[in-house]
Amino acid sequence: DSGTSLLTPPTEVTNAIREQLENGNIADCSDLSKFPTLHFKLDGKDFSLPPQSYIADAGMSQGSIEINQIPEGMALPLLPMNKVEAEKAKLARQRGEKVAVHQCALLLGQGLEDQGTTQYGPMLIIGMPLFRKYAVQFDLSKDFEGEEARMMHFAEASPDCDGTLKGTRFKRQPGLQKVNLAK
């Protein structure tokens, strides 16, 4: 689902991260090296998503969402952005007060247990985190030759998303792109 901003991995992945949060090994987002790089395979090819792909700046806390609360649809609580914000939140909790805190969000959705597994393994929704690391080209050209052979081409994106990390370009068809108005 390329339109979702959340990554929805199998429950054991979010449970492993939750355990790190609950054990106090991760208290804020100041050191992204404490978060795991997520590894997976697509069509036998290895892919990885570093924490920068699935952690986002959530701004200042406001309204009903507070630090350590889990926003609707998400699997894990919001965290303070850094150690200073974590200390500020801790002191406010001890005093029974509310305080605005700069926070971060782990863009992980709730598990898909009710969806079961696929013929390839556990259900997984990758969404926008994939596009933060990879440039992706959707290739439907075989559809015009009567084949059902849709392809996705991946290359690691450059930091500014202006091209690929290795300077490579995707294959371009000469002339105008084709469109099948029946689909």
Side-chain angles (χ1 to χ4, degrees), residues 58 65-71 74 76-80 103-105:
I65 296 176
E66 297 177 18
I67 296 293
N68 296 323
Q69 285 189 335
I70 300 175
M74 296 179 73
L76 298 168
L78 298 173
L79 296 172
Q103 56 198 356
C104 61

Side-chain angles (χ1 to χ4, degrees), residues 114-181:
D114 56 337
Q115 302 296 320
T117 59
T118 71
Q119 66 269 31
Y120 306 107
M123 180 74 70
L124 168 73
I125 298 176
I126 299 173
M128 288 303 294
L130 180 75
F131 301 112
R132 290 189 183 93
K133 181 170 181 192
Y134 297 98
V136 181
Q137 180 184 36
F138 298 90
D139 182 355
L140 308 177
S141 62
K142 295 289 183 191
D143 283 5
F144 300 101
E145 298 167 14
E147 297 179 39
E148 282 291 326
R150 295 178 174 190
M151 301 281 295
M152 292 173 64
H153 303 281
F154 294 87
E156 197 164 337
S158 62
D160 63 2
C161 295
D162 192 33
T164 63
L165 196 60
K166 295 181 180 177
T168 57
R169 299 276 175 208
F170 285 119
K171 177 179 86 173
R172 300 242 184 243
Q173 299 287 336
L176 292 175
Q177 66 179 341
K178 296 178 183 180
V179 64
N180 183 341
L181 296 177

Side-chain angles (χ1 to χ4, degrees), residues 19 33 49 183:
E19 187 176 313
S33 70
L49 294 176
K183 292 192 174 192

Side-chain angles (χ1 to χ4, degrees), residues 93-108:
R93 269 194 304 278
Q94 289 173 349
R95 294 184 197 132
E97 301 171 354
K98 289 188 177 184
V99 63
V101 177
H102 194 179
Q103 56 198 356
C104 61
L106 282 71
L107 302 175
L108 302 176

Side-chain angles (χ1 to χ4, degrees), residues 4-151:
T4 184
S5 59
L6 299 178
L7 171 68
T8 306
T11 301
E12 60 264 16
V13 173
T14 53
N15 285 346
I17 296 172
R18 180 179 291 109
E19 187 176 313
Q20 293 294 310
L21 297 174
E22 289 171 356
N23 291 340
N25 298 336
I26 300 173
D28 58 58
C29 290
S30 62
D31 183 1
L32 294 183
S33 70
K34 291 182 176 183
F35 293 88
T37 295
L38 306 176
H39 298 273
F40 56 97
K41 286 185 184 281
L42 288 175
D43 195 28
K45 306 276 189 291
D46 292 321
F47 289 84
S48 65
L49 294 176
Q52 296 85 341
S53 297
Y54 64 87
I55 297 176
D57 182 338
M60 295 299 284
S61 60
Q62 28 180 298
S64 62
I65 296 176
E66 297 177 18
I67 296 293
N68 296 323
Q69 285 189 335
I70 300 175
E72 185 177 345
M74 296 179 73
L76 298 168
L78 298 173
L79 296 172
M81 184 61 83
N82 54 46
K83 292 181 186 328
V84 170
E85 297 296 306
E87 187 61 27
K88 186 164 65 168
K90 179 181 172 184
L91 291 173
R93 269 194 304 278
Q94 289 173 349
R95 294 184 197 132
E97 301 171 354
K98 289 188 177 184
V99 63
V101 177
H102 194 179
Q103 56 198 356
C104 61
L106 282 71
L107 302 175
L108 302 176
Q110 294 175 348
L112 300 168
E113 293 76 32
D114 56 337
Q115 302 296 320
T117 59
T118 71
Q119 66 269 31
Y120 306 107
M123 180 74 70
L124 168 73
I125 298 176
I126 299 173
M128 288 303 294
L130 180 75
F131 301 112
R132 290 189 183 93
K133 181 170 181 192
Y134 297 98
V136 181
Q137 180 184 36
F138 298 90
D139 182 355
L140 308 177
S141 62
K142 295 289 183 191
D143 283 5
F144 300 101
E145 298 167 14
E147 297 179 39
E148 282 291 326
R150 295 178 174 190
M151 301 281 295

